[in-house]
PDB file of all heavy atoms in Angstrom:
ATOM      1  N   PHE M 921      10.141 -11.473  14.810  1.00 94.00           N
ATOM      2  CA  PHE M 921       8.696 -11.658  14.721  1.00 94.00           C
ATOM      3  C   PHE M 921       7.922 -10.652  15.560  1.00 94.00           C
ATOM      4  O   PHE M 921       6.815 -10.277  15.187  1.00 94.00           O
ATOM      5  CB  PHE M 921       8.325 -13.094  15.109  1.00 94.00           C
ATOM      6  CG  PHE M 921       8.916 -14.100  14.169  1.00 94.00           C
ATOM      7  CD1 PHE M 921       9.977 -14.893  14.555  1.00 94.00           C
ATOM      8  CD2 PHE M 921       8.433 -14.230  12.875  1.00 94.00           C
ATOM      9  CE1 PHE M 921      10.545 -15.814  13.680  1.00 94.00           C
ATOM     10  CE2 PHE M 921       8.987 -15.139  12.000  1.00 94.00           C
ATOM     11  CZ  PHE M 921      10.049 -15.932  12.399  1.00 94.00           C
ATOM     12  N   GLU M 922       8.478 -10.212  16.649  1.00 92.00           N
ATOM     13  CA  GLU M 922       7.784  -9.209  17.461  1.00 92.00           C
ATOM     14  C   GLU M 922       7.637  -7.902  16.691  1.00 92.00           C
ATOM     15  O   GLU M 922       6.594  -7.263  16.741  1.00 92.00           O
ATOM     16  CB  GLU M 922       8.523  -8.982  18.787  1.00 92.00           C
ATOM     17  CG  GLU M 922       8.440 -10.166  19.735  1.00 92.00           C
ATOM     18  CD  GLU M 922       7.009 -10.627  19.976  1.00 92.00           C
ATOM     19  OE1 GLU M 922       6.134  -9.781  20.285  1.00 92.00           O
ATOM     20  OE2 GLU M 922       6.753 -11.841  19.843  1.00 92.00           O
ATOM     21  N   SER M 923       8.674  -7.513  15.984  1.00 92.00           N
ATOM     22  CA  SER M 923       8.595  -6.283  15.191  1.00 92.00           C
ATOM     23  C   SER M 923       7.621  -6.438  14.024  1.00 92.00           C
ATOM     24  O   SER M 923       6.892  -5.504  13.689  1.00 92.00           O
ATOM     25  CB  SER M 923       9.976  -5.891  14.663  1.00 92.00           C
ATOM     26  OG  SER M 923      10.822  -5.551  15.740  1.00 92.00           O
ATOM     27  N   LEU M 924       7.604  -7.625  13.415  1.00 93.00           N
ATOM     28  CA  LEU M 924       6.629  -7.865  12.345  1.00 93.00           C
ATOM     29  C   LEU M 924       5.210  -7.777  12.885  1.00 93.00           C
ATOM     30  O   LEU M 924       4.327  -7.211  12.234  1.00 93.00           O
ATOM     31  CB  LEU M 924       6.862  -9.238  11.701  1.00 93.00           C
ATOM     32  CG  LEU M 924       8.060  -9.353  10.763  1.00 93.00           C
ATOM     33  CD1 LEU M 924       8.247 -10.799  10.331  1.00 93.00           C
ATOM     34  CD2 LEU M 924       7.886  -8.451   9.560  1.00 93.00           C
ATOM     35  N   ARG M 925       5.004  -8.320  14.074  1.00 93.00           N
ATOM     36  CA  ARG M 925       3.679  -8.246  14.697  1.00 93.00           C
ATOM     37  C   ARG M 925       3.299  -6.795  15.016  1.00 93.00           C
ATOM     38  O   ARG M 925       2.129  -6.445  15.035  1.00 93.00           O
ATOM     39  CB  ARG M 925       3.634  -9.100  15.956  1.00 93.00           C
ATOM     40  CG  ARG M 925       3.540 -10.582  15.667  1.00 93.00           C
ATOM     41  CD  ARG M 925       3.438 -11.400  16.963  1.00 93.00           C
ATOM     42  NE  ARG M 925       3.085 -12.774  16.693  1.00 93.00           N
ATOM     43  CZ  ARG M 925       3.943 -13.736  16.405  1.00 93.00           C
ATOM     44  NH1 ARG M 925       5.239 -13.458  16.339  1.00 93.00           N
ATOM     45  NH2 ARG M 925       3.525 -14.960  16.174  1.00 93.00           N
ATOM     46  N   ALA M 926       4.272  -5.964  15.282  1.00 91.00           N
ATOM     47  CA  ALA M 926       3.999  -4.545  15.549  1.00 91.00           C
ATOM     48  C   ALA M 926       3.732  -3.763  14.259  1.00 91.00           C
ATOM     49  O   ALA M 926       2.950  -2.814  14.258  1.00 91.00           O
ATOM     50  CB  ALA M 926       5.174  -3.927  16.299  1.00 91.00           C
ATOM     51  N   GLU M 927       4.381  -4.159  13.164  1.00 92.00           N
ATOM     52  CA  GLU M 927       4.232  -3.433  11.890  1.00 92.00           C
ATOM     53  C   GLU M 927       2.967  -3.809  11.129  1.00 92.00           C
ATOM     54  O   GLU M 927       2.407  -2.990  10.408  1.00 92.00           O
ATOM     55  CB  GLU M 927       5.447  -3.702  10.990  1.00 92.00           C
ATOM     56  CG  GLU M 927       6.768  -3.216  11.525  1.00 92.00           C
ATOM     57  CD  GLU M 927       6.967  -1.718  11.390  1.00 92.00           C
ATOM     58  OE1 GLU M 927       6.277  -1.090  10.571  1.00 92.00           O
ATOM     59  OE2 GLU M 927       7.809  -1.191  12.130  1.00 92.00           O
ATOM     60  N   LEU M 928       2.523  -5.054  11.250  1.00 93.00           N
ATOM     61  CA  LEU M 928       1.356  -5.511  10.483  1.00 93.00           C
ATOM     62  C   LEU M 928       0.088  -4.699  10.744  1.00 93.00           C
ATOM     63  O   LEU M 928      -0.598  -4.323   9.792  1.00 93.00           O
ATOM     64  CB  LEU M 928       1.089  -6.991  10.740  1.00 93.00           C
ATOM     65  CG  LEU M 928       1.759  -7.958   9.772  1.00 93.00           C
ATOM     66  CD1 LEU M 928       1.547  -9.398  10.243  1.00 93.00           C
ATOM     67  CD2 LEU M 928       1.260  -7.792   8.367  1.00 93.00           C
ATOM     68  N   PRO M 929      -0.267  -4.377  11.988  1.00 93.00           N
ATOM     69  CA  PRO M 929      -1.481  -3.576  12.189  1.00 93.00           C
ATOM     70  C   PRO M 929      -1.428  -2.212  11.510  1.00 93.00           C
ATOM     71  O   PRO M 929      -2.429  -1.735  10.979  1.00 93.00           O
ATOM     72  CB  PRO M 929      -1.568  -3.431  13.708  1.00 93.00           C
ATOM     73  CG  PRO M 929      -0.826  -4.593  14.246  1.00 93.00           C
ATOM     74  CD  PRO M 929       0.280  -4.849  13.261  1.00 93.00           C
ATOM     75  N   LYS M 930      -0.250  -1.587  11.508  1.00 93.00           N
ATOM     76  CA  LYS M 930      -0.112  -0.304  10.812  1.00 93.00           C
ATOM     77  C   LYS M 930      -0.378  -0.474   9.324  1.00 93.00           C
ATOM     78  O   LYS M 930      -1.044   0.349   8.701  1.00 93.00           O
ATOM     79  CB  LYS M 930       1.307   0.260  11.020  1.00 93.00           C
ATOM     80  CG  LYS M 930       1.563   0.795  12.397  1.00 93.00           C
ATOM     81  CD  LYS M 930       3.001   1.198  12.604  1.00 93.00           C
ATOM     82  CE  LYS M 930       3.461   2.266  11.663  1.00 93.00           C
ATOM     83  NZ  LYS M 930       4.846   2.686  11.891  1.00 93.00           N
ATOM     84  N   PHE M 931       0.142  -1.547   8.756  1.00 94.00           N
ATOM     85  CA  PHE M 931      -0.072  -1.791   7.334  1.00 94.00           C
ATOM     86  C   PHE M 931      -1.553  -2.055   7.049  1.00 94.00           C
ATOM     87  O   PHE M 931      -2.104  -1.537   6.096  1.00 94.00           O
ATOM     88  CB  PHE M 931       0.777  -2.966   6.840  1.00 94.00           C
ATOM     89  CG  PHE M 931       0.490  -3.303   5.421  1.00 94.00           C
ATOM     90  CD1 PHE M 931       0.984  -2.520   4.397  1.00 94.00           C
ATOM     91  CD2 PHE M 931      -0.320  -4.379   5.105  1.00 94.00           C
ATOM     92  CE1 PHE M 931       0.692  -2.807   3.072  1.00 94.00           C
ATOM     93  CE2 PHE M 931      -0.623  -4.674   3.788  1.00 94.00           C
ATOM     94  CZ  PHE M 931      -0.112  -3.890   2.767  1.00 94.00           C
ATOM     95  N   TRP M 932      -2.204  -2.881   7.877  1.00 94.00           N
ATOM     96  CA  TRP M 932      -3.627  -3.174   7.664  1.00 94.00           C
ATOM     97  C   TRP M 932      -4.466  -1.910   7.764  1.00 94.00           C
ATOM     98  O   TRP M 932      -5.404  -1.719   7.003  1.00 94.00           O
ATOM     99  CB  TRP M 932      -4.111  -4.193   8.696  1.00 94.00           C
ATOM    100  CG  TRP M 932      -3.564  -5.572   8.515  1.00 94.00           C
ATOM    101  CD1 TRP M 932      -3.092  -6.135   7.359  1.00 94.00           C
ATOM    102  CD2 TRP M 932      -3.440  -6.565   9.522  1.00 94.00           C
ATOM    103  NE1 TRP M 932      -2.676  -7.422   7.603  1.00 94.00           N
ATOM    104  CE2 TRP M 932      -2.882  -7.711   8.920  1.00 94.00           C
ATOM    105  CE3 TRP M 932      -3.727  -6.590  10.875  1.00 94.00           C
ATOM    106  CZ2 TRP M 932      -2.621  -8.873   9.631  1.00 94.00           C
ATOM    107  CZ3 TRP M 932      -3.470  -7.750  11.585  1.00 94.00           C
ATOM    108  CH2 TRP M 932      -2.923  -8.876  10.961  1.00 94.00           C
ATOM    109  N   PHE M 933      -4.127  -1.039   8.706  1.00 94.00           N
ATOM    110  CA  PHE M 933      -4.841   0.230   8.856  1.00 94.00           C
ATOM    111  C   PHE M 933      -4.671   1.075   7.602  1.00 94.00           C
ATOM    112  O   PHE M 933      -5.640   1.635   7.079  1.00 94.00           O
ATOM    113  CB  PHE M 933      -4.319   0.966  10.097  1.00 94.00           C
ATOM    114  CG  PHE M 933      -4.931   2.315  10.313  1.00 94.00           C
ATOM    115  CD1 PHE M 933      -6.241   2.429  10.744  1.00 94.00           C
ATOM    116  CD2 PHE M 933      -4.200   3.462  10.084  1.00 94.00           C
ATOM    117  CE1 PHE M 933      -6.809   3.682  10.951  1.00 94.00           C
ATOM    118  CE2 PHE M 933      -4.747   4.716  10.284  1.00 94.00           C
ATOM    119  CZ  PHE M 933      -6.061   4.826  10.727  1.00 94.00           C
ATOM    120  N   LEU M 934      -3.433   1.162   7.106  1.00 95.00           N
ATOM    121  CA  LEU M 934      -3.181   1.937   5.894  1.00 95.00           C
ATOM    122  C   LEU M 934      -3.960   1.369   4.712  1.00 95.00           C
ATOM    123  O   LEU M 934      -4.561   2.115   3.940  1.00 95.00           O
ATOM    124  CB  LEU M 934      -1.685   1.960   5.575  1.00 95.00           C
ATOM    125  CG  LEU M 934      -1.301   2.636   4.262  1.00 95.00           C
ATOM    126  CD1 LEU M 934      -1.753   4.092   4.227  1.00 95.00           C
ATOM    127  CD2 LEU M 934       0.190   2.530   4.020  1.00 95.00           C
ATOM    128  N   LYS M 935      -3.958   0.071   4.558  1.00 95.00           N
ATOM    129  CA  LYS M 935      -4.686  -0.557   3.454  1.00 95.00           C
ATOM    130  C   LYS M 935      -6.174  -0.204   3.523  1.00 95.00           C
ATOM    131  O   LYS M 935      -6.783   0.147   2.512  1.00 95.00           O
ATOM    132  CB  LYS M 935      -4.494  -2.069   3.478  1.00 95.00           C
ATOM    133  CG  LYS M 935      -5.229  -2.789   2.372  1.00 95.00           C
ATOM    134  CD  LYS M 935      -5.000  -4.289   2.438  1.00 95.00           C
ATOM    135  CE  LYS M 935      -5.884  -5.017   1.455  1.00 95.00           C
ATOM    136  NZ  LYS M 935      -5.687  -6.458   1.495  1.00 95.00           N
ATOM    137  N   ALA M 936      -6.753  -0.271   4.705  1.00 95.00           N
ATOM    138  CA  ALA M 936      -8.169   0.079   4.871  1.00 95.00           C
ATOM    139  C   ALA M 936      -8.415   1.543   4.515  1.00 95.00           C
ATOM    140  O   ALA M 936      -9.405   1.873   3.837  1.00 95.00           O
ATOM    141  CB  ALA M 936      -8.613  -0.204   6.305  1.00 95.00           C
TER     142      ALA M 936
END
Side-chain angles (χ1 to χ4, degrees):
F921 297 107
E922 291 307 311
S923 294
L924 285 174
R925 284 182 169 86
E927 297 283 340
L928 268 173
K930 287 174 60 178
F931 175 76
W932 290 336
F933 177 72
L934 175 59
K935 179 180 172 180

